[in-house]
Amino acid sequence: MIIDILTLFPESFGYLNSSILKRAQESGKITINLIDIRDFSLDKHKKCDDYPFGGGAGMLMTVQPIYDATKSVLKENSHIVFPSPSGEVLSAEKAKELSKYEHLIFICGHYEGVDQRVLDLLKPEEISIGDYVLTGGELPTMVIIDSLSRFIDGVITGESLTEESFSCGGLEYPQYTRPQVFEGLEVPSVLVSGNHQEVKKWREAESLKKTMSKRPDLIK
Ligand code: ADE
């Protein structure tokens, strides 16, 4: 998958170059390009924001630099995403759906938002990461990329994917690693019993218990 990120703040994407996403890029499963919207501004001072017509607080990102930056990477198979509180709220299902595209373009809004004509002309899919307002689309873009990348073949092991929270509609069971005892708290004995069938049964029961207590809304 190729991901082009259009932003005024390319320096804020360091997270994508660490851990699992770094490996996914090094192995060629994902290619992530950062495109500085400012490079496309036709303004002599490279300005990319302006006051809203009709008045109001703050600045808006202007349409021209975003439009031209998008056109510079747009292909037949591109899908454009605009992170925004107005969009559908991100879910595991949506992340999986996004992971199927060959080319994603993320447009990161900032300040008070973007000129409406960005949306009217480019018709991006708007996606929210929750009912709160952030200062820009940079963090939501990283959240969306992180969640969708887990569904790309080979980025994480198949087992992690099927066993993790939400994959079966509920939360993942509690997990433990060494040491076996810490501050008097012991790892449940079934997990060190070597009885795989019992381990599976325990995990299913714990998963259900945890979901019922923490997120009963997930149980249909
Ligand atoms: N931009 C600002 N707030 C946002 C949110 N909650 N989700 C996605 N994009 C946003």
Side-chain angles (χ1 to χ4, degrees):
M1 169 185 276
I2 296 174
I3 302 176
D4 288 318
I5 303 173
L6 279 48
T7 174
L8 285 176
F9 301 96
E11 70 280 5
S12 50
F13 287 88
Y15 173 76
L16 299 179
N17 293 323
S18 54
S19 185
I20 293 172
L21 290 172
K22 180 182 181 189
R23 251 190 289 135
Q25 291 178 81
E26 284 170 352
S27 62
K29 296 191 171 71
I30 309 177
T31 301
I32 301 178
N33 303 310
L34 291 167
I35 291 130
D36 192 337
I37 294 171
R38 200 172 298 283
D39 291 341
F40 291 83
S41 175
L42 297 177
D43 177 83
K44 63 173 184 272
H45 302 297
K46 296 276 172 200
K47 210 166 119 76
C48 292
D49 61 343
D50 216 327
Y51 296 99
F53 281 121
M59 303 290 269
L60 286 182
M61 284 175 71
T62 55
V63 58
Q64 177 273 315
I66 300 177
Y67 184 76
D68 287 348
T70 306
K71 289 283 163 172
S72 78
V73 291
L74 193 67
K75 291 182 289 207
E76 221 162 69
N77 62 356
S78 308
H79 183 69
I80 309 175
V81 176
F82 179 63
S84 152
S86 316
E88 177 184 336
V89 177
L90 184 65
S91 60
E93 212 175 319
K94 174 56 69 177
K96 192 171 183 178
E97 183 190 312
L98 290 171
S99 73
K100 307 278 188 267
Y101 288 99
E102 286 171 30
H103 182 213
L104 288 175
I105 300 172
F106 283 85
I107 298 175
C108 301
H110 215 89
Y111 313 117
E112 285 309 305
V114 298
D115 187 305
Q116 176 61 33
R117 289 166 291 184
V118 168
L119 311 180
D120 295 345
L121 288 168
L122 299 170
K123 299 186 174 34
E125 176 176 11
E126 294 183 63
I127 298 177
S128 167
I129 61 160
D131 290 339
Y132 43 83
V133 180
L134 298 162
T135 53
E138 284 76 16
L139 284 170
T141 291
M142 285 188 269
V143 169
I144 299 166
I145 291 173
D146 192 295
S147 62
L148 75 85
S149 69
R150 303 171 63 84
F151 292 103
I152 294 175
D153 272 351
V155 170
I156 57 169
T157 70
E159 221 170 55
S160 314
L161 203 54
T162 50
E163 291 193 1
E164 73 184 5
S165 292
F166 304 112
S167 66
C168 302
L171 301 178
E172 195 178 17
Y173 46 80
Q175 302 219 70
Y176 299 85
T177 183
R178 269 188 277 268
Q180 214 164 313
V181 185
F182 185 75
E183 293 279 318
L185 291 184
E186 231 171 292
V187 173
S189 55
V190 61
L191 298 181
V192 289
S193 67
N195 185 333
H196 298 297
Q197 224 175 339
E198 284 304 308
V199 169
K200 188 167 180 284
K201 255 190 354 207
W202 180 88
R203 286 178 166 167
E204 281 167 3
E206 287 296 318
S207 169
L208 186 62
K209 207 159 81 184
K210 185 167 158 185
T211 310
M212 288 213 291
S213 111
K214 294 190 178 220
R215 291 291 307 274
D217 57 298
L218 293 175
I219 296 169
K220 303 196 179 81

